[in-house]
Amino acid sequence: MKIIYDNHIFNISARKQAEALIERQNRARQAISQCNGILVRSRSEQPLLEENCRIIADICDYPCVWIGMREGGETGTLRPTAWAGDMSDFVANITIDPASEELSHCPTKRSLRTSQPEWQWEIEGDEEFAPRALIKQFKRDGLHAYLALPLKEEDKPPFGIIGIYDYAAGAFTPEEIELLTELANDLAYGIVSIRNRRRRQEAEQAYHRSAKQLEQVLVQTIMAIGHTIEIRDPYTAGHQQRVAELATAIAEEMKLEKDRIEGMRLGAMIHDIGKIYIPAEILNRPGKLTEIEFGLIKSHPDVGYNIVKDVDFPWSVAQMILQHHERLDGSGYPNALKGDEIMLEARILAVADVVEAITSHRPYRPALDQSIALEEIGSGRGISYDAAVVDVCLGLFRKEPAFRFQ
């Protein structure tokens, strides 16, 4: 339509077409903005796809938008996983087999091959685009144009497609396609990020499961070692287990970290492993030991340390074993360490070891009363034994319910 005003001719149709094109481009920009907002917040793939379909269809006023993903890798069949618009029944049944010779002119197949946007400005009657029955449905619904946008990661083949239908023949100008391609690239980046995040989480979960299994094997191995020691020394059967119970209870009362408490427990379970080196007749002798025999007994922390020092424990088990007979004033063995030279776990282990030993039967004496054990650590508080550890231990036996060895 043309009008003349003040000797000037104005083409109203051309102006309206230009305005319509600008409007479509502005809608595409708005869709990009909103889809990117969703992308920043998304933590899972399916809601992201559904929201993108809805936004593109609503804002750009397309009758149908769908997103399909390949199944089984880079050459797999493509099926829709999300869609929006008035043709959900049709979209839900789409299946694209890239290896098939059928529908070779379909923009979706072309886009999967070329990794570029592909479109059909007039789909009516083109049986290379879709089966005849589907062409009739397009005609009935007034659909004329179709655009396929690849979803891809860098130079890899597309892993998905955004499919967009329009009522207008010749729709999708180069500018609009460029904007929608930007949207597709942003979405592809978001999908890849979500998948990578999921893979990392799965890998971490698998690692933690593996680490837990290894830890369980380690615990079982430690318990087996502890049992082996007790077989050789039946008079102290259960000693390491009971020491571990008390040492763990002390560590818990002192609010040590959970992992550190577990290391404390397992270290205590084998703190006397070095006694495996000592002849059974010395361990089980009811009478007084000679100086040489007692020297052998005193060597068990060193021996135990050498046995486990090369085992890659996640805790300082070897040092616990080496130091559990050290005393704050330097009167202990094997290295006469003093004060803070002795690690906290070993200071806890020392108190628990003394209390259990005094209250248990030994070849050279019967079990003594609990009060004697508590008096021993109390009198050595701050001298031989760590004051804080002693206070916690005494508190455990005095509070209700009082600590009891199992």
Side-chain angles (χ1 to χ4, degrees):
M1 176 182 177
K2 297 180 180 179
I3 63 172
I4 301 175
Y5 177 77
D6 195 20
N7 294 322
H8 293 283
I9 299 175
F10 296 91
N11 189 327
I12 301 301
S13 297
R15 178 179 293 178
K16 286 186 175 295
Q17 289 177 355
E19 290 173 351
L21 291 176
I22 293 172
E23 175 65 18
R24 288 176 70 97
Q25 292 171 25
N26 287 338
R27 288 182 176 183
R29 292 187 179 93
Q30 188 179 351
I32 291 173
S33 176
Q34 289 203 22
C35 286
N36 284 343
I38 296 295
L39 186 62
V40 170
R41 299 190 297 272
S42 291
R43 291 295 177 268
S44 56
E45 185 172 321
Q46 187 59 31
L48 174 64
L49 302 182
E50 292 172 356
E51 278 294 288
N52 271 258
C53 284
R54 182 191 62 78
I55 289 170
I56 297 169
D58 289 352
I59 292 179
C60 297
D61 198 26
Y62 296 129
C64 182
V65 177
W66 62 277
I67 297 176
M69 292 294 167
R70 275 180 151 161
E71 300 174 346
E74 296 178 349
T75 60
T77 299
L78 184 130
R79 300 182 193 277
T81 56
W83 50 82
D86 302 327
M87 300 179 61
S88 58
D89 292 341
F90 149 66
V91 169
N93 295 315
I94 291 176
T95 300
I96 303 294
D97 181 4
S100 170
E101 296 296 328
E102 297 178 353
L103 310 179
S104 60
H105 197 56
C106 171
T108 299
K109 277 195 171 183
R110 298 204 312 266
S111 186
L112 289 173
R113 289 195 303 268
T114 66
S115 297
Q116 298 295 325
E118 300 287 348
W119 57 91
Q120 188 86 358
W121 278 336
E122 179 54 76
I123 61 179
E124 183 176 345
D126 187 346
E127 293 186 17
E128 288 299 313
F129 173 82
R132 182 175 298 176
L134 208 50
I135 294 293
K136 289 181 178 179
Q137 181 175 338
F138 291 153
K139 185 176 181 180
R140 184 172 61 250
D141 293 332
L143 300 180
H144 288 274
Y146 174 71
L147 171 65
L149 300 163
L151 298 171
K152 58 182 181 176
E153 180 182 4
E154 297 178 345
D155 296 329
K156 296 180 181 180
F159 56 79
I161 290 288
I162 302 178
I164 303 174
Y165 292 91
D166 203 309
Y167 292 121
F172 307 118
T173 64
E175 293 80 8
E176 188 175 358
I177 291 172
E178 183 178 350
L179 289 168
L180 292 172
T181 299
E182 179 184 340
L183 187 153
N185 290 339
D186 291 344
L187 176 59
Y189 176 83
I191 293 170
V192 170
S193 296
I194 289 172
R195 291 181 177 181
N196 287 341
R197 188 185 308 124
R198 185 179 68 242
R199 281 192 283 267
R200 284 195 300 271
Q201 290 171 345
E202 290 172 351
E204 288 173 1
Q205 290 168 358
Y207 169 79
H208 288 309
R209 285 195 299 271
S210 176
K212 190 66 178 177
Q213 291 171 350
L214 288 173
E215 185 177 319
Q216 288 173 350
V217 171
L218 183 61
V219 170
Q220 292 167 356
T221 302
I222 288 172
M223 294 182 71
I225 293 171
H227 183 62
T228 301
I229 299 168
E230 291 178 350
I231 289 174
R232 296 188 69 254
D233 185 10
Y235 285 99
T236 58
H239 166 69
Q240 293 183 118
Q241 176 65 44
R242 291 189 292 271
V243 170
E245 291 172 8
L246 179 53
T248 300
I250 293 171
E252 289 173 343
E253 286 289 311
M254 295 182 73
K255 309 299 183 186
L256 269 63
E257 299 88 344
K258 185 176 180 180
D259 184 66
R260 196 173 178 186
I261 292 171
E262 180 65 3
M264 173 83 261
R265 183 178 76 87
L266 296 177
M269 289 285 293
I270 57 170
H271 72 276
D272 277 340
I273 188 175
K275 287 183 178 180
I276 202 167
Y277 167 76
I278 301 169
E281 58 269 23
I282 294 178
L283 290 175
N284 301 325
R285 178 172 297 175
K288 186 176 181 180
L289 298 176
T290 67
E291 187 175 340
I292 293 175
E293 289 169 340
F294 187 58
L296 279 174
I297 294 287
K298 291 175 66 176
S299 72
H300 80 271
D302 264 323
V303 174
Y305 170 79
N306 287 322
I307 290 173
V308 303
K309 67 180 181 180
D310 294 324
V311 179
D312 191 19
F313 288 110
W315 314 281
S316 301
V317 171
Q319 287 297 325
M320 291 184 219
I321 292 171
L322 181 63
Q323 297 179 16
H324 77 277
H325 276 290
E326 300 287 359
R327 298 295 181 257
L328 291 187
D329 57 3
S331 62
Y333 59 87
N335 296 313
L337 300 180
K338 293 183 178 181
D340 290 339
E341 293 176 339
I342 308 169
M343 66 184 301
L344 177 58
E345 284 86 345
R347 284 179 265 160
I348 293 173
L349 190 50
V351 170
D353 191 32
V354 167
V355 171
E356 199 287 328
I358 291 175
T359 56
S360 296
H361 182 73
R362 290 291 181 268
Y364 48 87
R365 61 152 176 83
L368 301 177
D369 189 76
Q370 176 182 292
S371 62
I372 297 175
L374 299 183
E375 182 180 346
E376 162 61 25
I377 63 171
S379 63
R381 179 186 181 278
I383 303 170
S384 299
Y385 311 114
D386 184 283
V389 175
V390 169
D391 291 344
V392 170
C393 184
L394 293 175
L396 283 171
F397 282 95
R398 290 169 180 167
K399 76 177 184 179
E400 293 295 337
F403 179 84
R404 290 287 183 271
F405 288 113
Q406 299 299 311

